[in-house]
Amino acid sequence: YIGGDDCKIYVYSSDLKEKHVIEGGHLKPVHSLALSNDGSMLAAGDVRDVCVYKTADFSTVVAKSKWCFHLQKITTIAWSPDDQVIASGGADDSIFLWHLEKKMKRVHYQFAHRGGVVGMTFRKDNPGKLTLVSAGMDSCVVQWDVTADAKEKFS
């Protein structure tokens, strides 16, 4: 999977042959991609939108203008261990949590990293807890227990 400056996502086979092009999902260049843990979905981020696609047929799960609250480009995306929550981090210093079943709700962490968020992952070794680890341009790595916030917003 390769995000393009032409607002498309290019899908290649392991022998580097183009298999498919996802078009029309983004209005701005695609900067960040992340596969779900089970490989069934692809999350993609551009300047403000996070979109989600099924990898089987590339149909849209979450379309543009639904998850669109970043103010600068989305630089990193991570999937929770159960593939229900997606975290997006951006050059706007923010981290957002999104839920596939509660598409109109979000959790926002402002000023998560000064200078922007450059990497994220959910810990998979802490059953019953939703723990996000983020890295930023501020040279900090932060571990966030987002369990209570996610439960309050998405339950």
Side-chain angles (χ1 to χ4, degrees), residues 42-108:
L42 174 71
D46 57 34
V47 171
R48 66 179 202 125
D49 285 298
V50 176
C51 299
V52 180
Y53 307 93
K54 291 182 183 175
T55 56
D57 60 3
F58 305 107
S59 62
T60 304
V61 178
V62 177
K64 63 185 170 218
S65 300
K66 295 285 184 209
W67 293 353
C68 59
F69 292 92
H70 279 281
L71 301 175
Q72 294 180 28
K73 76 177 175 179
I74 298 163
T75 53
T76 182
I77 297 172
W79 290 82
S80 65
D82 66 358
D83 288 335
Q84 290 300 302
V85 175
I86 297 171
S88 60
D92 58 0
D93 303 346
S94 291
I95 293 174
F96 283 93
L97 300 181
W98 316 93
H99 196 285
L100 286 176
E101 300 299 319
K102 310 281 185 176
K103 293 184 176 101
M104 299 308 290
K105 298 191 177 201
R106 66 188 177 281
V107 176
H108 182 203

Side-chain angles (χ1 to χ4, degrees), residues 109-129:
Y109 299 101
Q110 285 184 300
F111 313 116
H113 288 280
R114 187 180 178 117
V117 185
V118 296
M120 289 189 306
T121 190
F122 280 94
R123 290 186 52 182
K124 295 171 179 56
D125 63 345
N126 209 352
K129 289 221 173 228

